[in-house]
Amino acid sequence: MERWLALELASTIRHDGDGGVADDLSTVRGTTRWIGERRDLLAGQLPIDGLVVDEGLRLELVGLRQAVRALFARAVSPAPPSPADAGRLMTAEQAIARLNRVTAREPVAPQLEWPVEGAPATRLLSAEDDPRVRLVAALARAAIDFLTGPQRGRLRSCTAPRCVRYFVKSHGRQEWCKPSCGNRARAARHYRRQRGAAQGGPAHS
Ligand SMILES: [Zn+2]
């Protein structure tokens, strides 16, 4: 399955399995773990071995996530956004300005790499020394790539009860982020129909 850094950043706000919302970036320790688990996705973009996560970096990632989620809400519109932050989204203009401000902090030069055996690839040569700046900028670039790529049209907000996830549809009729959400949504629909029938009213779907 294809993975997108921008989607994974947005998904750090998630259903906690108990009717509430959990935030993987709520502490420095959680943020360190989240970055460590994305070592493979970040490899080649920046050296994360020397990266020390502090409260400042955590807050920058949270700020970038706000921008990404606001733009995800715009991307799925007119369908409703994730209910996790639907009532407190920044405007699209603010979100775009924030993304662009973050990427501008790391000037990069694309470099062509083409090994004798293998495919040509782009490597970004950075003039920035601070790995924290590079990390946030890399995530912002990933968000720009995501929003300007074909996957934007397949981005959805899961409408299953209690789910707060954005996901990229992998096939045409996919309505929910994962099978368990589909089961929950169908059960809820069934329950509403039953209740409608029991009350003698019209069944709602
Ligand atoms: Zn879901």
Side-chain angles (χ1 to χ4, degrees):
M1 203 174 96
E2 201 173 348
R3 292 169 67 196
W4 290 274
L5 267 175
L7 182 61
E8 298 201 4
L9 178 64
S11 305
T12 53
I13 288 180
R14 58 187 172 76
H15 176 223
D16 68 0
D18 199 26
V21 173
D23 180 355
D24 291 330
L25 305 184
S26 61
T27 61
V28 168
R29 178 199 279 246
T31 305
T32 305
R33 187 185 318 127
W34 184 81
I35 294 168
E37 287 168 359
R38 272 138 202 94
R39 193 168 283 273
D40 54 335
L41 282 178
L42 292 164
Q45 300 207 48
L46 69 159
I48 66 170
D49 286 330
L51 182 75
V52 176
V53 181
D54 56 16
E55 181 64 8
L57 174 59
R58 185 187 78 79
L59 290 174
E60 285 205 43
L61 290 173
V62 167
L64 181 63
R65 179 181 65 186
Q66 276 182 308
V68 169
R69 289 184 63 92
L71 295 170
F72 277 16
R74 178 178 179 176
V76 302
S77 161
S82 160
D85 51 2
R88 51 189 164 87
L89 291 169
M90 66 171 72
T91 66
E93 291 71 27
Q94 289 170 322
I96 291 167
R98 184 171 293 182
L99 266 191
N100 288 338
R101 209 164 50 231
V102 171
T103 55
R105 285 176 58 196
E106 187 194 11
V108 289
Q111 304 283 291
L112 178 65
E113 285 192 344
W114 196 347
V116 178
E117 310 268 336
T122 312
R123 184 175 62 86
L124 295 180
L125 183 67
S126 175
E128 174 61 54
D129 289 331
D130 188 338
R132 290 168 301 186
V133 172
R134 295 187 61 184
L135 173 73
V136 183
L139 286 166
R141 284 194 302 269
I144 292 173
D145 287 346
F146 182 94
L147 290 164
T148 54
Q151 56 282 346
R152 185 193 68 249
R154 292 188 284 126
L155 184 70
R156 296 289 182 274
S157 167
C158 184
T159 57
R162 301 190 302 281
C163 189
V164 297
R165 276 177 69 90
Y166 286 103
F167 66 99
V168 173
K169 240 172 31 149
S170 56
H171 57 86
R173 304 217 320 236
Q174 186 181 355
E175 281 185 72
W176 297 289
C177 71
K178 52 183 191 272
S180 61
C181 274
N183 292 340
R184 229 170 41 248
R186 277 185 289 271
R189 193 181 285 174
H190 180 72
Y191 173 74
R192 282 197 302 273
R193 279 211 196 98
Q194 293 283 3
R195 205 177 42 175
Q199 289 168 350
H204 298 285
S205 60

